[in-house]
Amino acid sequence: QKGWKLYIDAHAKPGVNLIDGLRQANVEFDKATALDPNFSFAYYAEADLYEHTLMADGRSHAELLDAQRAALHTLERAGATSPDPQQRDLALAERQMLSDDWHGLADRIETALKQPGCSAPNWMPVFASAFGYGDLIENLGARVNVCDPLNLINYRTRESVALATGHPQRALDVLAKAETTFGGGPTPTSAQAIALTMLGRTAEAQATLDSIEPSGEGYYIAQLIVGKAAGTDPAKLNASLQKVDRNSSKFQSWDVTDAVAAALSGNRSNADRRAGVLDARPAGGLLLAIVVTECQCGAPFDLDATPHFKALLAESGLRWPPPETIKYPTRASPDGSPPVSAPAAAKARADD
């Protein structure tokens, strides 16, 4: 319980460094498993530190490799010790997505999501939403919130998955339910702004963003999406993005965010270059899946730019390319051919 309190504070409490907070939580989880070596949930929660480390900027390759190994070990222990078949399958699916072997991963994910019960998943739904599975993930997330109505992280996961899989009204409904559960009245969020954009309500989306402090990767990406959909002047949009203080970010995952930004800007060569760098990192498949879910622009990079990811996909059974979830205003093609949307152009390149 002490570890879980520290875990929640690390994710949600302002002023608490995420990585440092999770390290403190893991001290308590280690105490729990010392008392009970078969305490599966403690191992499962412990893996989150290593997963966030894998996503963080500025880490050496050796540090990232250590984090990957630690994540694989703790999730393997979580699966081996769990008395709950659903929790075991969720842990092992999450473990495989972090590994360098994706053989049968699609079947493993589907099996885990279809298991009865209401055990809370962690990163696997965010990853899986890049390849569909939106309805299965929502079914599980809704069950989790019945069993654990104060699980704020699960509400946020449901919102992000709904957006990534093209269900904006579902995202708004989940947000409203969370507001009712936790009280305090309606609170504007970046996820709300993206959902309104997907519904074609760009003026409301921009007003929502204007009422939020310009901070964090989520705000940055939302401003890009809303500005692109509204046809905001690029110079004006860039000026608004400069207001974001990158150093104040809790998650410090700007490498991923900048790959998303490059894709949204239409600079395919830059998006491919940034995706290639992520592909070469340990557990790069997870990072690239997050680029897909955050961009919501179809295929945000060319598979030939990410050879490791391409090979993993080929053995996984996972669907590619991802669907488009936002229809942006059309723009003229440089060669004078009929206008196409940016996501449609990206999909055409992927199909080629």
Side-chain angles (χ1 to χ4, degrees), residues 3 55-56 64 67 81 129 137 169 177 183 195 197 248 261 265 290 301 312 323 345 349:
M55 289 177 251
L64 293 174
T81 57
S129 65
I137 296 169
Q169 189 57 54
K177 179 62 175 177
T197 300
S248 66
S265 73
I290 293 173
F301 50 82
L312 290 173
R349 282 191 291 268

Side-chain angles (χ1 to χ4, degrees), residues 127-158:
F127 171 88
S129 65
F131 310 103
Y133 303 107
D135 290 340
L136 285 175
I137 296 169
E138 170 57 17
N139 289 341
L140 172 56
R143 295 201 308 271
V144 169
N145 277 138
V146 170
C147 300
D148 186 2
L150 298 182
N151 190 330
L152 178 59
I153 294 174
N154 186 62
Y155 280 114
R156 290 177 175 172
T157 297
R158 290 173 66 191

Side-chain angles (χ1 to χ4, degrees), residues 2-257:
K2 289 179 180 178
W4 190 241
K5 174 63 165 59
L6 290 166
Y7 179 103
I8 296 298
D9 286 349
H11 287 86
K13 194 171 182 178
V16 176
N17 179 276
L18 177 65
I19 299 295
D20 291 344
L22 290 175
R23 284 198 186 102
Q24 294 176 38
N26 279 11
V27 171
E28 302 300 331
F29 294 146
D30 284 342
K31 291 178 183 177
T33 54
L35 291 169
D36 179 1
N38 292 322
F39 197 164
S40 175
F41 184 73
Y43 295 116
Y44 191 54
E46 190 169 314
D48 197 54
L49 165 64
Y50 311 121
E51 289 162 311
H52 277 291
T53 300
L54 286 166
M55 289 177 251
D57 305 327
R59 310 285 167 164
S60 70
H61 191 76
E63 185 178 3
L64 293 174
L65 276 176
D66 286 344
Q68 183 186 32
R69 294 188 192 104
L72 295 176
H73 173 72
T74 52
L75 289 168
E76 183 176 26
R77 289 289 294 149
T81 57
S82 178
D84 175 6
Q86 183 201 27
Q87 184 65 66
R88 180 175 63 247
D89 284 349
L90 289 170
L92 293 178
E94 187 165 320
R95 182 189 185 280
Q96 189 174 7
M97 79 183 191
L98 295 168
S99 77
D100 295 314
D101 180 0
W102 283 10
H103 284 93
L105 179 55
D107 290 339
R108 186 183 287 276
I109 288 173
E110 187 164 345
T111 297
L113 292 173
K114 287 183 174 179
Q115 278 275 23
C118 57
S119 296
N122 192 17
W123 279 102
M124 191 269 284
V126 177
F127 171 88
S129 65
F131 310 103
Y133 303 107
D135 290 340
L136 285 175
I137 296 169
E138 170 57 17
N139 289 341
L140 172 56
R143 295 201 308 271
V144 169
N145 277 138
V146 170
C147 300
D148 186 2
L150 298 182
N151 190 330
L152 178 59
I153 294 174
N154 186 62
Y155 280 114
R156 290 177 175 172
T157 297
R158 290 173 66 191
E159 290 170 27
S160 65
V161 170
L163 294 176
T165 54
H167 295 91
Q169 189 57 54
R170 179 185 292 174
L172 292 176
D173 292 344
V174 171
L175 178 61
K177 179 62 175 177
E179 289 172 345
T180 301
T181 300
F182 291 94
T187 302
T189 66
S190 298
Q192 180 185 31
I194 293 173
L196 291 170
T197 300
M198 293 173 73
L199 291 169
R201 296 154 60 182
T202 53
E204 291 178 67
Q206 189 58 62
T208 298
L209 281 181
D210 290 344
S211 65
I212 300 173
E213 180 183 354
S215 176
E217 293 90 334
Y219 172 90
Y220 192 94
I221 291 172
Q223 189 70 275
L224 279 168
I225 288 173
V226 174
K228 185 178 178 69
T232 303
D233 176 73
K236 182 179 178 181
L237 179 58
N238 185 62
S240 69
L241 295 173
Q242 297 308 309
K243 299 176 183 177
V244 179
D245 179 8
R246 293 189 170 217
N247 294 324
S248 66
S249 163
K250 179 178 280 289
F251 297 98
Q252 287 298 308
S253 56
W254 290 101
D255 290 342
V256 170
T257 299

